[in-house]
């Protein structure tokens, strides 16, 4: 399969034999959910329970989760479970009634984004998914600029609404990039000299702005995932500041999509954009925000939000309800109480060091990069080309060894290692023991 489609980079296909019970569950699911859904791995995993970094399948076998960034403070964290249960047993309504929980949480969230200088992110709106808040951010940017044109990276994924699939080139398949969209190369630190990365990225942004202006669409926004995860994980923090300056000179809006790097994942800060030293106009977030409860948000500078907020009443039935806000507040508690940002930084560094040790004996590992607990391992063929098949084989070999990872990047050859933030030293040892065995057997 050609990796023009992010969903098929590591997906089950029926040519691989599975046991009869799995086969019958897959058949029932296909019959009822239809063919749009994908399952991970050649032998899909049927999970029934989770705890911390551990997942358990229907036969009771234990897996190490080195992939899931939704249950970011650990699967079924007792503090989150307790907060959700308590609120669910008390009240669950919506944002058309007064409730203190959303105001208190919003202030806490905005405090994590406070920056030097006059540009402050000072308001926040709620939805249930990253797709919805990116959709909202596009509308806000369009109202602010009066223009429609959007710049994305060439293998970006920003979600699944109509407006957002039109800015998600990595979906491929039958989805079509909008005529108002320009895709530029991500800041590929493996193939571009470090000193040239920021200049190249900025030059591409400037050229795309000019092209959009000439096309009649005008220039509305640059939106990037600030760790460039679907593009192949590019953590170099030098690239965004000059690009964002160019966006602002052209009157455009910078949207930081923090769905992947947000909430302490990168170890350096709560937010990927802070690592780059920029203050976005709009920040979107979701996935780890509620540790699995469906809560997402768009934080904004109020001057950027104003034309939309004044003109368009907003209501999202489930977005920001008291139960999901209780989950989100509990997630912030755990990040603080268990010092998970520091853990992401230290354990992530340890993981990259141990992987570098393995790379010394395995020339097929071309690059190890990342920030905190967002780690990419670029696999190459003997001739130095991207090794899509080899990466996929390793992901499946790791699954057979009960360690869960996946792949990303244009060529599907970058191993994506993104465990819950409670990953420990001994989890790193477990991971590296199995990874070494899988590499040696390959
Ligand atoms: C960077 C990024 N933005 C947005 C989304 C969409 O989020 P959701 O699936 O919650 O709609 C994703 C989902 O994977 C993502 O990775």
């Amino acid at each position: 399969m050609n990796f023009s489609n992010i969903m098929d980079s590591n997906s089950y296909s029926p040519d691989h034999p599975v046991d009869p019970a799995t086969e019958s569950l897959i058949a029932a699911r296909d019959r009822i959910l239809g063919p749009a859904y994908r399952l991970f791995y050649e032998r899909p995993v049927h999970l029934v329970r989770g705890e911390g970094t551990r997942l358990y399948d229907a036969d009771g076998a234990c897996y190490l989760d080195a992939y899931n960034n939704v249950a970011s403070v650990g699967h079924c964290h007792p503090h989150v479970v307790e907060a959700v249960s308590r609120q669910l047993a008390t009240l669950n309504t919506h944002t058309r009634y007064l409730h203190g929980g959303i105001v208190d949480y919003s202030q806490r969230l905005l405090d994590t984004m406070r920056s030097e200088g006059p540009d402050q992110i000072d308001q926040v709106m709620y939805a249930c998914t990253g797709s919805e808040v990116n959709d909202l951010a596009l509308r806000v940017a369009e109202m602010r600029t009066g223009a429609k044109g959007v710049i994305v990276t060439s293998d970006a994924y920003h979600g699944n609404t109509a407006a957002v699939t039109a800015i998600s080139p990595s979906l491929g398949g039958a989805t079509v990039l909008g005529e108002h969209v320009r895709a530029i190369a991500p800041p590929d630190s493996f193939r571009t000299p470090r000193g040239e990365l920021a200049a190249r990225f900025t030059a591409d942004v400037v050229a795309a702005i000019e092209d959009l202006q000439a096309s009649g669409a005008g220039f509305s926004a640059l939106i990037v995932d600030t760790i460039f995860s679907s593009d192949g994980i590019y953590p170099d923090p030098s690239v965004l500041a000059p690009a964002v300056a160019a966006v602002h000179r052209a009157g455009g809006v910078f949207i930081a999509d923090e769905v992947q790097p947000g909430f302490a994942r990168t170890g350096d800060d709560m937010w990927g954009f802070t690592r780059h030293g920029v203050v976005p106009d709009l920040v979107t977030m979701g996935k780890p925000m509620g540790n699995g409860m469906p809560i997402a948000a768009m934080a904004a500078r109020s001057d950027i939000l104003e034309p939309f907020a004044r003109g368009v009443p907003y209501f999202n039935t489930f977005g920001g309800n008291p139960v999901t806000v209780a989950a989100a507040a509990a997630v912030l508690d755990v990040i603080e109480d268990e010092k998970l940002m520091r853990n992401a930084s230290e354990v992530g560094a340890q993981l990259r060091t141990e992987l570098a040790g393995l790379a010394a004996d395995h020339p097929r590992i071309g690059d190890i990069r990342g920030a905190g607990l967002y780690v990419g391992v670029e696999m190459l063929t003997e001739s130095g080309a991207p090794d899509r098949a080899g990466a996929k084989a390793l992901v499946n070999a790791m699954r057979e060894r009960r360690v869960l990872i996946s792949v990303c990047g244009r060529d599907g050859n970058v191993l994506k290692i993104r465990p819950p933030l409670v990953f420990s030293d001994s989890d790193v040892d477990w991971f590296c023991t199995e990874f070494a065995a899988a590499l040696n057997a390959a």
Side-chain angles (χ1 to χ4, degrees):
M1 168 122 11
N2 188 343
F3 183 63
S4 54
N5 175 341
I6 193 175
M7 300 297 170
D8 286 319
S9 55
N10 164 30
S11 64
Y12 163 75
S13 84
D15 344 321
H16 289 276
V18 293
D19 64 84
T22 305
E23 191 172 355
S24 107
L25 189 53
I26 291 172
R29 186 182 128 113
D30 283 355
R31 201 168 50 247
I32 291 168
L33 303 187
Y37 282 84
R38 300 290 188 273
L39 286 162
F40 278 147
Y41 307 114
E42 284 170 359
R43 272 196 335 119
V45 187
H46 177 184
L47 298 171
V48 295
R49 188 165 73 81
E51 186 178 354
T53 58
R54 309 287 195 271
L55 289 165
Y56 298 86
D57 73 11
D59 298 322
C62 177
Y63 295 71
L64 176 63
D65 184 359
Y67 183 71
N68 284 291
N69 65 341
V70 171
S72 190
V73 300
H75 292 278
C76 305
H77 194 291
H79 182 63
V80 181
V81 172
E82 199 271 327
V84 167
S85 308
R86 190 166 12 95
Q87 187 58 49
L88 193 57
T90 308
L91 177 76
N92 199 16
T93 51
H94 53 71
T95 49
R96 292 174 89 171
Y97 299 103
L98 284 168
H99 196 269
I102 194 168
V103 178
D104 295 344
Y105 174 74
S106 300
Q107 190 55 61
R108 242 179 119 183
L109 182 70
L110 291 171
D111 284 346
T112 68
M113 298 182 191
R114 200 155 291 288
S115 58
E116 304 292 318
D119 297 340
Q120 292 296 334
I121 297 165
D122 55 353
Q123 290 184 337
V124 56
M125 297 173 68
Y126 291 88
C128 307
T129 67
S131 302
E132 281 177 284
V133 286
N134 279 335
D135 191 298
L136 179 61
L138 294 179
R139 294 171 70 198
V140 170
E142 192 175 335
M143 292 281 280
R144 163 79 183 181
T145 59
K148 221 176 156 48
V150 177
I151 302 172
V152 294
T153 48
S154 55
D155 282 84
Y157 179 71
H158 294 293
N160 64 19
T161 71
V164 167
T165 53
I167 62 157
S168 294
S170 72
L171 276 172
T175 55
V176 180
L177 212 59
E179 283 179 12
H180 61 293
V181 182
R182 296 293 179 274
I184 61 169
D188 181 345
S189 51
F190 182 48
R191 292 172 184 81
T192 313
R194 184 152 196 275
E196 292 174 25
L197 262 186
R200 273 200 203 181
F201 189 74
T202 307
D204 286 350
V205 168
V206 169
I209 290 172
E210 286 167 1
D211 191 26
L212 284 168
Q213 284 166 338
S215 76
F219 173 51
S220 175
L222 167 71
I223 177 168
V224 299
D225 162 355
T226 60
I227 189 97
F228 299 93
S229 56
S230 55
D231 284 286
I233 308 173
Y234 298 114
D236 190 300
S238 70
V239 288
L240 284 181
V244 171
V247 166
H248 286 156
R249 274 197 303 277
V253 166
F254 172 57
I255 306 169
D257 181 335
E258 293 286 332
V259 166
Q260 294 278 345
F263 292 98
R265 162 106 356 226
T266 63
D268 298 334
D269 211 287
M270 277 291 276
W271 308 107
F273 65 79
T274 320
R275 299 180 62 248
H276 285 262
V278 297
V279 180
D281 301 300
L282 302 171
V283 182
T284 56
M285 66 202 84
K287 282 194 194 284
M289 190 170 182
N291 214 46
M293 293 300 282
I295 181 163
M298 182 196 68
R301 282 176 41 186
S302 47
D303 56 323
I304 305 290
L305 184 56
E306 209 261 345
F308 175 88
R310 194 168 18 86
V312 184
Y314 180 80
F315 177 55
N316 184 313
T317 300
F318 301 115
N321 74 32
V323 169
T324 56
V325 168
V331 166
L332 289 187
D333 294 341
V334 179
I335 290 173
E336 286 165 20
D337 294 348
E338 299 185 15
K339 303 193 170 26
L340 291 186
M341 197 191 311
R342 193 167 78 200
N343 192 65
S345 173
E346 292 174 358
V347 176
Q350 183 194 345
L351 176 60
R352 288 195 299 283
T353 304
E354 294 202 19
L355 288 170
L358 292 176
D361 297 328
H362 293 279
R364 289 176 50 217
I365 297 181
D367 192 26
I368 296 161
R369 53 182 181 257
L373 280 169
Y374 217 125
V375 178
V377 177
E378 175 132 7
M379 302 305 300
L380 304 177
T381 62
E382 264 174 35
S383 65
D387 189 1
R388 177 200 313 265
K392 187 169 178 183
L394 268 174
V395 165
N396 283 292
M398 290 294 276
R399 176 260 176 265
E400 294 304 325
R401 293 173 179 279
R402 299 194 190 131
V403 177
L404 303 182
I405 58 170
S406 192
V407 285
C408 60
R410 159 150 296 215
D411 296 303
N413 70 317
V414 180
L415 303 178
K416 179 155 89 170
I417 306 168
R418 188 194 50 182
L421 301 181
V422 287
F423 216 60
S424 66
D425 298 359
S426 59
D427 290 334
V428 170
D429 290 342
W430 179 356
F431 182 90
C432 289
T433 302
E434 296 302 338
F435 189 54
L439 281 169
N440 289 332

